Amino acid sequence: MARRRAAAAVVMVVAVVAVAVAKECTNIPTQLSSHTVRARLQSSSAAEWRWREEYFHGDHLNPTDEAAWMDLMPLAAASASEFDWAMLYRSLKGAAVAGDEGGGGGGGGFGFLEEVSLHDVRLDMDGGGDGVYGRAQQTNLEYLLLLEVDRLVWSFRTQAGLPAPGKPYGGWEGPDVELRGHFVGHYLSAAAKMWASTHNGTLAGKMAAVVDALHDCQAAAGTGYLSAFPAEFFDRFEAIRPVWAPYYTIHKARNATQSICISTMAMNLICSCKCLNEIMQGLLDQHTVAGNGKALGMVVAMADYFAGRVRSVIQRYTIERHWTSLNEETGGMNDVLYQLYTITKDQRQLVLAHLFDKPCFLGLLAVQADSLSGFHANTHIPVVIGGQMRYEVTGDPLYKEIATFFMDIVNSSHSYATGGTSVSEFWSNPKHLAEALTTETEESCTTYNMLKVSRHLFRWTKEIAYADYYERALINGVLSIQRGRDPGVMIYMLPQGPGRSKAVSYHGWGTQYNSFWCCYGTGIESFSKLGDSIYFEQKGDKPGLYIIQYIPSTFNWRTAGLTVTQQVKPLSSSDQYLQVSLSISAAKTNGQYATLNVRIPSWTSMNGAKATLNDKDLQLASPGTFLTISKQWDSGDHLLLQFPINLRTEAIKDDRPQVASLNAILFGPFLLAGLTTGDWDAKTGGAAAAVSDWITPVPASYNSQLVTLTQESGGKTMLLSTVNDTSLAMLERPEGAGGTDAAVRATFRVVPPGSRAELRQRAGAGAGEGAARLKVAAATIEPFGLPGTAVSNGLAVVRAGNSSSTLFNVVPGLDGKPGSVSLELGSKPGCFLVAGAGAKVHVGCRTRGGAAAAGFEQAASFAQAEPLRRYHAISFFASGVRRSFLLEPLFTLRDEFYTIYFNLAA
């Protein structure tokens, strides 16, 4: 069947393009392209191999318009001594080879904005302002410092025949996992960037030790080969026996992807390239970012080794056979090789990079066809990034057009409100995202790579839309994958479906030493380079600086002799403005003439927007542009920016009328998630209603009304909690309760009648420092995650009202213990909320005297503990049909169940 489809494709293409040869563009559009499925299969029994092989031959035929690509004829077979890289390059380009192609590495010859060095950017680690970025960076640093050198390189040393002290890590780095070693490449990149961002001496020693160990392993091989698995894997390819993506590991971060290759020898060989290029990228970053003197030679040796493998395929078959082999996942090989070429100017590396510009995929984009559906997302985004590097190196405008079109179609048809993309690792049908709202959405690696695509495009064009996208995806897609301040706990997928939790999915939260998924690799990189896209330089006689992200930080602008300090006022839901201040200090006493360009976000408005320079008003341009200031900057100059920030809704990218009512809710760039186990019906008040009519800020004072009520039973701490949003029970306090759904269910807001909330802080035994002591005669008990509801005297959770059936008299604990309270039914004096046997909660009425009375008094008394959950500073209440919703930024959630898209037509 596959052969018949391939033959039909050849006929079709030949009929359209005279000399074209059909290109079979496949990424095995079955479950086998999934990292997750391949990991599971690799550990399956021998009996399951027959089932595997049924999937290994899936075809995704997308004939490419050769006219939009290169007129390339197959090369005749040649002996090793006759192989000529210059001849191959002439065939690729259809012209004589110049000694040096393009305008030089880094895009300087094309007027691109320049990246600033991470060595010159310091995030605010003290939380002065919005310190979430500094905290996220610090948490990642703590994880990198936990990782042990001997354990990271254990499989490399074992493969090289060197002594391997210690024991290997688990998960995808386990010694029996064929992808082992991929994370080490990510580690090298992440450590280099984290060291540049912090200059942590301990980390510098660790990463240098890893490079030294790998250098020893490569030297032991003597061929340039460097991997955590044996070269025998490549022999298995040639024998058409299965193995999991050894080449993947070699590239590392540009795309953490895997594949089991079982098609032709060439496919198997190229598939292996992904494992190798992960290591190459990590070593290259060690050279360019960390200045390691050994790393560059190691990368060059690996490139030479790999070039020999590719050359063998072309010599033994044809170059068309090589193009066919790109149907398997090759990672960001083109990207890392273009980067290497900018350093070495070795033409062989440039040609090798061209050979990985996957024509059957980039060709579709070149003719502006949206054929993404069915492709494995994180296999192909890195190919586009490599194409972007080709544009920067060669100036070929086709690759700029390809990247621009790609970004446009992903944003318009395939991305969620987070800025992320993919479902179960694949692109689904364009503008049909409502059917993709599941747990297994937005693979974290794809967000990491899409940020790179947008970053390149911004540097080329200075278009605000790309900076806005970067902000959205960084806040909602990257910050969301880290579990608070827990080092080394990250997620693979970011669930988008209604009533989902980051903790409840196929992977759930990873672990420090036994996960090491692809998304762990890109994750540690993401949090190591949070400062790399805040500032960009415009080089020239008069230096210019573009400030495109509002992240508390300091930038040492060496070109201009200026230091820029950025502060962001802490934001709350009641704020009407985002306020940013930029302070300047100059190295020279007479200052420096320079231009500052500050992004005015597209999500703001002109109504109330303001900018002042040294207390003098400036004229602001419209949102989606830059505020440009050219002057002689001196120490003490101060620029204050005030951007209106508002709530808005954003429809899901789905063009079907039946799902047109599904909308996400955003506050400026922050995506808000509603705490709910699945209910998504909002009550907006009609099409004419403003968003502020049905969504209101949570007052900061409400945090003082929160409490968790506990009892001790059998040596366990039991918590009064809601169950199924409808009733109450006593549930055991979970370990590490913070950020859990249990914390949401065990927190209540005690709301006195009217507006007088007489709550005061208490200190002392039994309640915990800072716990609220209830001092109200009567109150409504509102579950934290169910705003607008109340616990009724029948102990059910109902819609709140003024009825006495939801009032409780808050009285001193019947057990007589200091600080304890009892909840007496307002509708039935003398009867109380009582914890019964097991988890049961019921109404009990007081009796006088005897052992039974003592037992009753204890069961009806609760200690007041510090609330397990508090309102985030950016929190809102949204009206719903059956209940209201508590909205908080998605990135702040950990294990809670949430909903992103709401039905506004309910």
Side-chain angles (χ1 to χ4, degrees):
M1 179 62 71
R3 291 193 189 94
R4 288 198 297 271
R5 289 200 298 268
V10 171
V11 172
M12 175 182 175
V13 176
V14 169
V16 176
V17 184
V19 295
V21 178
K23 289 204 178 10
E24 180 188 71
C25 201
T26 179
N27 181 223
I28 310 181
T30 68
Q31 293 183 37
L32 281 184
S33 294
S34 162
H35 313 174
T36 301
V37 172
R38 291 178 187 238
R40 189 166 65 237
L41 284 179
Q42 201 241 317
S43 61
S44 62
S45 65
E48 293 179 284
W49 275 107
R50 289 191 301 275
W51 180 81
R52 298 191 200 192
E53 297 209 21
E54 292 177 5
Y55 286 93
F56 286 145
H57 299 283
D59 296 320
H60 187 154
L61 299 179
N62 280 313
T64 302
D65 183 351
E66 297 288 326
W69 206 230
M70 57 182 70
D71 183 15
L72 179 63
M73 298 300 292
L75 290 177
S79 67
S81 61
E82 295 172 336
F83 193 89
D84 188 340
W85 288 98
M87 177 193 72
L88 178 57
Y89 187 50
R90 292 188 194 100
S91 299
L92 288 167
K93 297 297 292 181
V97 182
D100 187 357
E101 183 188 15
F110 305 112
F112 303 152
L113 292 178
E114 295 283 337
E115 301 176 357
V116 305
S117 172
L118 282 170
H119 292 277
D120 294 329
V121 179
R122 289 293 177 266
L123 300 187
D124 186 345
M125 302 302 295
D126 299 323
D130 186 0
V132 62
Y133 297 94
R135 292 192 297 270
Q137 178 181 274
Q138 178 63 27
T139 299
N140 193 51
L141 172 61
E142 292 169 8
Y143 180 49
L144 296 179
L145 293 174
L146 287 174
L147 297 173
E148 300 175 23
V149 173
D150 286 339
R151 300 190 69 181
L152 285 169
V153 302
W154 191 93
S155 291
F156 288 87
R157 285 171 168 162
T158 300
Q159 155 58 28
L162 300 176
K167 61 180 181 178
Y169 283 121
W172 286 12
E173 283 296 308
D176 57 345
V177 176
E178 292 179 351
L179 195 67
R180 61 187 179 271
H182 82 101
F183 181 82
V184 176
H186 290 284
Y187 174 86
L188 290 172
S189 287
K193 294 170 184 177
M194 181 63 82
W195 177 73
S197 300
T198 63
H199 283 188
N200 182 281
T202 303
L203 183 62
K206 280 178 174 281
M207 67 184 185
V210 172
V211 174
D212 288 344
L214 296 181
H215 183 269
D216 292 343
C217 293
Q218 189 179 49
T223 61
Y225 182 73
L226 174 61
S227 183
F229 44 78
E232 179 266 336
F233 279 20
F234 296 97
D235 300 332
R236 287 166 56 184
F237 291 157
E238 296 173 7
I240 316 181
R241 292 168 55 202
V243 64
W244 187 10
Y247 274 122
Y248 153 77
T249 298
I250 304 302
H251 169 250
K252 84 108 253 0
R254 297 285 160 166
N255 33 279
T257 47
Q258 311 80 35
S259 74
I260 303 174
C261 312
I262 203 149
S263 186
T264 63
M265 179 276 287
M267 281 188 185
N268 292 335
L269 185 59
I270 299 303
C271 179
S272 304
C273 174
K274 298 190 291 77
C275 284
L276 293 170
N277 60 32
E278 294 298 323
I279 305 299
M280 289 175 67
Q281 185 65 60
L283 289 170
L284 196 60
D285 287 335
Q286 282 290 316
H287 168 71
T288 59
V289 180
N292 188 293
K294 295 179 180 178
L296 180 60
M298 296 169 68
V299 179
V300 170
M302 293 180 73
D304 290 344
Y305 175 86
F306 184 57
R309 289 276 182 174
V310 175
R311 178 177 60 196
S312 176
V313 172
I314 296 174
Q315 288 177 320
R316 294 176 61 183
Y317 299 96
T318 66
I319 199 166
E320 274 298 321
R321 179 65 169 267
H322 171 76
W323 295 133
T324 302
S325 72
L326 296 186
N327 290 333
E328 278 299 342
E329 196 173 350
T330 57
M333 277 298 292
N334 54 350
D335 184 17
V336 70
L337 288 165
Y338 282 124
Q339 294 176 60
L340 182 60
Y341 169 73
T342 64
I343 299 169
T344 66
K345 301 301 180 185
D346 187 329
Q347 180 189 304
R348 293 174 301 170
Q349 292 152 11
L350 179 64
V351 175
L352 196 57
H354 286 348
L355 288 170
F356 284 93
D357 291 332
K358 186 173 183 177
C360 69
F361 181 70
L362 295 182
L364 292 169
L365 299 174
V367 296
Q368 301 201 351
D370 181 357
S371 297
L372 297 184
S373 176
F375 277 101
H376 186 260
N378 203 54
T379 295
H380 292 91
I381 303 172
V383 176
V384 175
I385 297 168
Q388 289 181 299
M389 277 303 299
R390 179 167 180 162
Y391 170 60
E392 295 207 4
V393 169
T394 69
D396 188 337
L398 175 62
Y399 294 87
K400 178 181 179 182
E401 294 167 9
I402 286 172
T404 302
F405 176 71
F406 174 75
M407 191 74 187
D408 287 348
I409 60 172
V410 171
N411 263 337
S412 64
S413 304
H414 299 277
S415 65
Y416 305 102
T418 55
T421 187
S422 78
V423 55
S424 296
E425 303 185 12
F426 292 84
W427 282 303
S428 58
N429 292 329
K431 296 187 178 179
H432 274 208
L433 284 192
E435 61 193 23
L437 297 181
T438 69
T439 300
E440 304 302 305
T441 46
E442 190 173 336
E443 183 187 356
S444 300
C445 291
T446 64
T447 306
Y448 162 87
N449 278 311
M450 286 302 298
L451 285 172
K452 291 185 178 181
V453 176
S454 66
R455 189 172 186 264
H456 280 304
L457 288 169
F458 175 75
R459 289 179 46 245
W460 302 345
T461 66
K462 305 172 189 172
E463 291 184 16
I464 292 286
Y466 299 126
D468 285 341
Y469 171 85
Y470 199 98
E471 175 184 53
R472 176 192 291 242
L474 183 65
I475 291 173
N476 305 300
V478 172
L479 294 182
S480 291
I481 72 170
Q482 201 178 49
R483 192 183 186 278
R485 297 300 305 274
D486 298 342
V489 181
M490 293 176 283
I491 53 173
Y492 194 124
M493 300 286 191
L494 181 57
Q496 309 284 316
R500 305 304 167 102
S501 167
K502 299 174 187 178
V504 184
S505 65
Y506 179 80
H507 295 90
W509 291 110
T511 61
Q512 292 177 335
Y513 308 126
N514 287 292
S515 295
F516 298 110
W517 313 313
C518 54
C519 296
Y520 256 59
T522 54
I524 61 172
E525 286 195 63
S526 291
F527 292 108
S528 293
K529 64 184 188 71
L530 291 172
D532 78 344
S533 296
I534 306 171
Y535 308 97
F536 290 93
E537 280 193 85
Q538 183 80 65
K539 295 290 180 65
D541 295 336
K542 297 179 180 178
L545 185 67
Y546 284 77
I547 303 174
I548 70 166
Q549 300 300 328
Y550 300 118
I551 297 176
S553 56
T554 299
F555 173 51
N556 182 7
W557 189 7
R558 298 179 187 274
T559 304
L562 302 173
T563 299
V564 180
T565 300
Q566 180 182 168
Q567 294 180 312
V568 181
K569 181 182 177 183
L571 192 65
S572 73
S573 53
S574 59
D575 287 334
Q576 298 179 0
Y577 305 102
L578 175 68
Q579 297 185 35
V580 181
S581 68
L582 298 168
S583 302
I584 308 296
S585 61
K588 300 178 182 178
T589 55
N590 58 346
Q592 169 68 49
Y593 188 90
T595 299
L596 289 189
N597 302 277
V598 184
R599 177 177 68 106
I600 304 175
S602 300
W603 49 256
T604 191
S605 65
M606 290 299 293
N607 185 20
K610 185 178 180 181
T612 62
L613 178 60
N614 300 331
D615 298 325
K616 294 182 179 179
D617 289 342
L618 300 176
Q619 184 173 354
L620 271 179
S622 59
T625 60
F626 285 100
L627 168 66
T628 299
I629 308 169
S630 298
K631 69 180 292 286
Q632 190 85 7
W633 295 91
D634 296 299
S635 293
D637 282 340
H638 185 76
L639 177 64
L640 180 64
L641 305 167
Q642 176 177 288
F643 298 129
I645 185 167
N646 300 296
L647 290 161
R648 69 184 190 282
T649 59
E650 182 176 285
I652 193 170
K653 291 180 174 63
D654 199 309
D655 56 9
R656 295 172 296 171
Q658 62 268 34
V659 293
S661 63
L662 293 183
N663 280 250
I665 302 168
L666 294 101
F667 182 58
F670 300 99
L671 176 62
L672 302 178
L675 300 189
T676 162
T677 55
D679 189 351
W680 64 354
D681 291 335
K683 186 176 182 180
T684 65
V691 177
S692 58
D693 292 340
W694 57 281
I695 303 179
T696 57
V698 176
S701 61
Y702 279 15
N703 273 316
S704 67
Q705 300 176 348
L706 299 177
V707 69
T708 291
L709 299 176
T710 73
Q711 285 186 353
E712 297 298 319
S713 177
K716 300 177 181 178
T717 300
M718 307 298 289
L719 311 175
L720 181 65
S721 307
T722 58
V723 178
N724 298 324
D725 296 348
T726 59
S727 58
L728 300 178
M730 296 300 295
L731 302 179
E732 184 178 353
R733 180 188 177 114
E735 215 174 299
T740 64
D741 202 59
V744 172
R745 292 185 278 109
T747 302
F748 297 87
R749 186 166 75 95
V750 180
V751 188
S755 58
R756 293 180 301 162
E758 300 178 27
L759 294 170
R760 65 183 177 84
Q761 296 303 109
R762 71 166 293 195
E769 187 69 21
R773 168 178 279 184
L774 306 182
K775 194 181 179 185
V776 290
T780 297
I781 310 299
E782 178 183 273
F784 179 85
L786 298 166
T789 68
V791 177
S792 73
N793 284 181
L795 305 190
V797 178
V798 299
R799 292 297 292 260
N802 295 322
S803 170
S804 61
S805 65
T806 58
L807 285 178
F808 287 83
N809 297 318
V810 182
V811 301
L814 300 183
D815 61 1
K817 293 180 180 179
S820 69
V821 294
S822 296
L823 301 177
E824 183 182 39
L825 277 60
S827 61
K828 197 172 183 181
C831 296
F832 295 83
L833 186 156
V834 177
K840 293 183 179 179
V841 174
H842 63 275
V843 172
C845 297
R846 190 173 190 178
T847 58
R848 299 288 180 182
F856 172 84
E857 290 168 352
Q858 182 176 349
S861 300
F862 298 86
Q864 303 172 63
E866 183 75 15
L868 291 182
R869 192 60 155 75
R870 293 186 180 274
Y871 298 110
H872 188 268
I874 303 175
S875 296
F876 297 87
F877 293 144
S879 297
V881 173
R882 287 168 293 277
R883 42 75 61 91
S884 293
F885 304 97
L886 172 60
L887 306 178
E888 296 185 328
L890 176 64
F891 79 84
T892 67
L893 302 184
R894 287 178 274 179
D895 302 348
E896 302 93 334
F897 287 87
Y898 62 83
T899 293
I900 290 175
Y901 287 98
F902 291 86
N903 175 22
L904 304 191

